[in-house]
Amino acid sequence: MLFRTSLVGSALLACALASSPATFAQSTLTHQATAPTPHGVFLTTPNPEIKVAPGNPVTFKLSLINDTEIPERANLALAGVPDGWTYSLKGGNYEVTSAMVAPGQTGELSLTLTPDKTAAKKAYNLDLSAKYADGKADLPLSVTLADLPSTGTKLVPDLPGLKGTAKTTFKYKLKLTNGSGEDALFNLAADAPAGFTTDFKQGYGSDQITGVPVKAGATQDITLEVKPSSNADAGTYPIKVATVAGDQSASADLALQITGTGDLSLSGPQNRLSGEAVAGETKTFPFTLTSSGTSDATNIKLSASAPRDWKVNFDPATLPDLAAGQDQTVNVAITPSEKAIAGDYMVTVRAGADGVSTPAQFRVTVNTSTMWGIVGIGIIGLAVIVLALGVMRYGRR
């Protein structure tokens, strides 16, 4: 009985062993058949669905993947483009209709779509295909038009209005935003009044530029420096700034307010800055003081720097104000030192007012006093007489 049971058990065990390999193999094959095996050419994008305002361009960054053992050339086509829309398919900086990728490599492409400004606000479905030798890869894309803030190119000043004098260098900080999907070189221009000079600089740098590169979606800081004409009248002046890169453009309106400035100039007698004087004697020279600024000069004071022991007085010595473009005669009384010897001396005459000071170098030629000349002649004459008397007295001996 036991033997029979053993025989029966052995038979059952043999049947189980015989059937196990088949069952294991079948399970393995079933698992391998259901597992995905990537092979071929694929198109991918990180953002297949994008929402944008009508008329604004949108760019899809694309990757063409070659998961084969040979180079593959893929012919590219875009289907479903609505009427009135335009698109550009690029590889690098070039328009392309096909791309070739090495085995195991990825090629980078970009697709830029510009919807019609009048297109209805809804979702639009498109299909980008890549046909290659052994098959075709499809990439469904979706563009939804909706009321959104514009993301186009912008030129925004930090402070659109600045104030200063005609001698001020006005500096405007602007932010240039590239709202397109492509890197671009933006040319810069400024429309300013005649006689004004304008210079563009990148960020806070010192180099003058005429254009600036801006990456797609990025913002670049720009500085515009404006120097008014030296004789610009007080008032507000408009300045227009514009930038262009291909079909992209932006502009900004700036304002420059110039306040009047007082200024002074001094000229000597008959427009000469020289004169003659006698040591120890006062000589008066009529100077002309001119208000040469664009506004009145106020709180005017006159002063002088002269050699030691000299005296300089003014009439008048102070003025409350002098209207722009007006003249005022100022009498400058100069008294050289009594000990001054003959020669040329410099006297600095200075006129100062609120915010301004102007000097004039006046050359004074000093002559000795005529009294000393007479005294000298008398001494010489006396010496001659004494000599003559001596000769007459002692000559007889």
Side-chain angles (χ1 to χ4, degrees):
M1 186 68 174
L2 178 61
F3 175 73
R4 289 181 180 179
T5 303
S6 299
L7 289 176
V8 173
S10 298
L12 292 174
L13 179 60
C15 290
L17 292 174
S19 63
S20 292
T23 302
F24 177 78
Q26 184 178 3
S27 175
T28 303
L29 290 175
T30 301
H31 176 72
Q32 291 176 348
T34 58
T37 305
H39 190 76
V41 174
F42 304 92
L43 268 174
T44 66
T45 181
N47 302 298
E49 298 182 5
I50 296 179
K51 184 181 290 187
V52 70
N56 283 352
V58 58
T59 297
F60 293 92
K61 296 296 183 181
L62 307 170
S63 295
L64 183 63
I65 304 170
N66 180 6
D67 188 28
T68 69
E69 290 75 28
I70 61 172
E72 291 285 2
R73 172 173 176 162
N75 295 320
L76 305 167
L78 181 63
V81 180
D83 293 338
W85 290 37
T86 60
Y87 74 92
S88 171
L89 184 60
K90 287 188 175 183
N93 296 322
Y94 300 98
E95 295 274 354
V96 297
T97 56
S98 64
M100 179 171 284
V101 184
Q105 300 297 315
T106 299
E108 302 299 332
L109 304 168
S110 66
L111 171 64
T112 299
L113 286 156
T114 304
D116 188 348
K117 292 182 179 179
T118 62
K121 298 179 180 66
K122 65 176 185 178
Y124 295 85
N125 297 319
L126 304 95
D127 183 78
L128 180 63
S129 62
K131 293 183 179 180
Y132 60 103
D134 295 333
K136 175 184 176 184
D138 289 282
L139 177 61
L141 302 172
S142 176
V143 177
T144 300
L145 300 186
D147 291 324
L148 296 174
S150 174
T151 58
T153 297
K154 297 178 182 179
L155 188 62
V156 181
D158 289 348
L159 298 171
L162 297 178
K163 180 179 179 181
T165 69
K167 297 181 180 180
T168 302
T169 298
F170 296 82
K171 296 183 180 181
Y172 296 89
K173 305 297 182 183
L174 303 103
K175 293 186 181 297
L176 173 59
T177 301
N178 180 359
S180 72
E182 299 180 353
D183 300 348
L185 175 63
F186 288 86
N187 295 316
L188 302 164
D191 184 12
F196 286 42
T197 60
T198 58
D199 293 307
F200 286 99
K201 297 180 180 181
Q202 185 174 359
Y204 296 91
S206 58
D207 295 333
Q208 298 179 6
I209 61 173
T210 58
V212 61
V214 186
K215 293 185 177 296
T219 297
Q220 181 65 251
D221 290 327
I222 297 171
T223 299
L224 170 64
E225 292 187 356
V226 181
K227 295 180 180 179
S229 171
S230 59
N231 59 354
D233 295 331
T236 300
Y237 297 84
I239 297 176
K240 184 84 170 183
V241 184
T243 181
V244 177
D247 58 355
Q248 302 178 64
S249 63
S251 62
D253 292 317
L254 307 175
L256 183 154
Q257 183 179 356
I258 294 180
T259 58
T261 56
D263 203 356
L264 296 171
S265 62
L266 275 170
S267 58
Q270 299 177 350
N271 291 321
R272 293 182 295 107
L273 288 175
S274 63
E276 294 184 356
V278 176
E281 297 182 6
T282 300
K283 180 68 175 289
T284 300
F285 301 94
F287 274 64
T288 300
L289 177 65
T290 302
S291 179
S292 54
T294 55
S295 66
D296 298 352
T298 57
N299 298 323
I300 302 171
K301 297 180 180 179
L302 290 114
S303 60
S305 298
R308 184 177 180 181
D309 295 331
W310 286 45
K311 295 179 181 180
V312 181
N313 296 308
F314 299 93
D315 182 24
T318 61
L319 288 168
D321 56 56
L322 185 60
Q326 297 298 309
D327 296 334
Q328 171 70 44
T329 299
V330 177
N331 293 315
V332 182
I334 300 177
T335 306
S337 170
E338 294 181 354
K339 298 179 181 179
I341 62 175
D344 292 337
Y345 297 82
M346 296 303 298
V347 176
T348 301
V349 181
R350 182 175 291 100
D354 289 340
V356 63
S357 177
T358 181
Q361 300 293 329
F362 189 69
R363 187 179 77 247
V364 180
T365 300
V366 175
N367 299 314
T368 55
S369 173
T370 55
M371 178 62 68
W372 287 107
I374 294 173
V375 172
I377 293 173
I379 293 173
I380 294 173
L382 180 60
V384 171
I385 293 172
V386 170
L387 179 61
L389 291 174
V391 171
M392 291 175 61
R393 179 176 179 179
Y394 298 101
R396 294 175 181 178
R397 296 181 180 179

